[in-house]
Amino acid sequence: SAVISQKPSRDICQRGTSLTIQCQVDSQVTMMFWYRQQPGQSLTLIATANQGSEATYESGFVIDKFPISRPNLTFSTLTVSNLSPEDSSIYLCSVRGTANTEAFFGQGTRLTVV
Amino acid sequence: GNSVTQMEGPVTLSEEAFLTINCTYTATGYPSLFWYVQYPGEGLQLLLKATKADDKGSNKGFEATYRKETTSFHLEKGSVQVSDSAVYFCALSDRDSGNTPLVFGKGTRLSVIA
């Protein structure tokens, strides 16, 4: 199993500013995944972060808006830039273990943009 | 590509009622299947899983059986409690290295009233 510490747990930000979310895992993992969960919706994958290389973004998400860092095998950050009210969501980081294992999630960051 | 379809919510039940949340999947090969639960204000937690056909996952009174012939993994509980009120997500993974994200259904919101 993996324990993920994600922070902040929530924040209220002014439009036009940025928020950086941190995700710390208690073990080394190859890939880390970042999701967005809009109010009342399912999870949408933003990007996959591999240590030592640029993150791979899903369709509709771009690096300028959602820059990701992955400096080592236990840590990653997601920044949500140039905030607008439409960015108000829960953001989740996730990891998996070996083949056939489940995904583990951080507790999420609830972002409100005003 | 792989996909998960689960019944639309919200589902509202009285305490001690029987619960079924349907989940069907499309996948190549033999995926592993999962149910996750998200309580209000929290991240996702694994509820149960099954990694091969005819496996039954169970936890906290919830059960789901991996049915290859019907490509289904329906979640059931014989007697729900108010504390079971949450959003439930069905998910799958390919038999892979663990470096790919899970594929999630849209989620089903369950409300249990006393």
Side-chain angles (χ1 to χ4, degrees), chain A residues 33 35 45 94-96 100-105, chain B residues 4 32-34 36 46 90-94 96 100-104:
Chain A
F33 309 103
Y35 291 87
L45 183 66
S94 176
V95 303
R96 289 183 66 197
N100 303 328
T101 60
E102 62 269 32
F104 302 93
F105 286 85
Chain B
V4 174
S32 295
L33 300 172
F34 310 90
Y36 281 82
L46 178 70
C90 186
L92 69 80
S93 77
D94 282 329
D96 60 3
T100 55
L102 300 188
V103 175
F104 285 89

Side-chain angles (χ1 to χ4, degrees), chain A residues 57-75:
Chain A
Y57 289 83
E58 299 298 305
S59 175
F61 297 95
V62 295
I63 188 170
D64 289 347
K65 175 67 174 177
F66 298 98
I68 288 172
S69 77
R70 183 80 201 278
N72 57 52
L73 290 173
T74 63
F75 187 79

Side-chain angles (χ1 to χ4, degrees), chain A residues 35-44 86 88-90 92 110, chain B residues 6 8 38 42 44 87-89 104-109:
Chain A
Y35 291 87
R36 181 176 72 185
Q37 186 179 24
Q38 294 176 301
Q41 302 297 313
S42 187
L43 283 72
T44 301
E86 293 70 34
S88 297
S89 293
I90 298 173
L92 294 146
R110 182 179 295 274
Chain B
Q6 62 181 105
E8 297 285 331
Q38 186 178 32
E42 299 185 13
L44 274 72
V87 181
Y88 294 81
F89 294 92
F104 285 89
K106 292 185 181 297
T108 302
R109 181 175 299 276

Side-chain angles (χ1 to χ4, degrees), chain A:
Chain A
S1 67
V3 176
I4 302 174
S5 175
Q6 183 176 342
K7 54 184 178 183
S9 59
R10 58 178 64 233
D11 207 341
I12 301 173
C13 298
Q14 298 289 326
R15 67 176 68 200
T17 63
S18 299
L19 176 70
T20 295
I21 302 166
Q22 298 180 4
C23 189
Q24 177 76 51
V25 189
D26 68 343
S27 57
Q28 294 184 339
V29 293
T30 303
M31 298 293 189
M32 295 180 74
F33 309 103
W34 287 99
Y35 291 87
R36 181 176 72 185
Q37 186 179 24
Q38 294 176 301
Q41 302 297 313
S42 187
L43 283 72
T44 301
L45 183 66
I46 297 172
T48 299
N50 189 3
Q51 191 265 337
S53 63
E54 199 168 278
T56 301
Y57 289 83
E58 299 298 305
S59 175
F61 297 95
V62 295
I63 188 170
D64 289 347
K65 175 67 174 177
F66 298 98
I68 288 172
S69 77
R70 183 80 201 278
N72 57 52
L73 290 173
T74 63
F75 187 79
S76 179
T77 67
L78 169 73
T79 298
V80 189
S81 304
N82 190 23
L83 291 168
S84 69
E86 293 70 34
D87 295 319
S88 297
S89 293
I90 298 173
Y91 293 86
L92 294 146
C93 66
S94 176
V95 303
R96 289 183 66 197
T98 55
N100 303 328
T101 60
E102 62 269 32
F104 302 93
F105 286 85
Q107 61 267 52
T109 297
R110 182 179 295 274
L111 169 62
T112 302
V113 182
V114 296

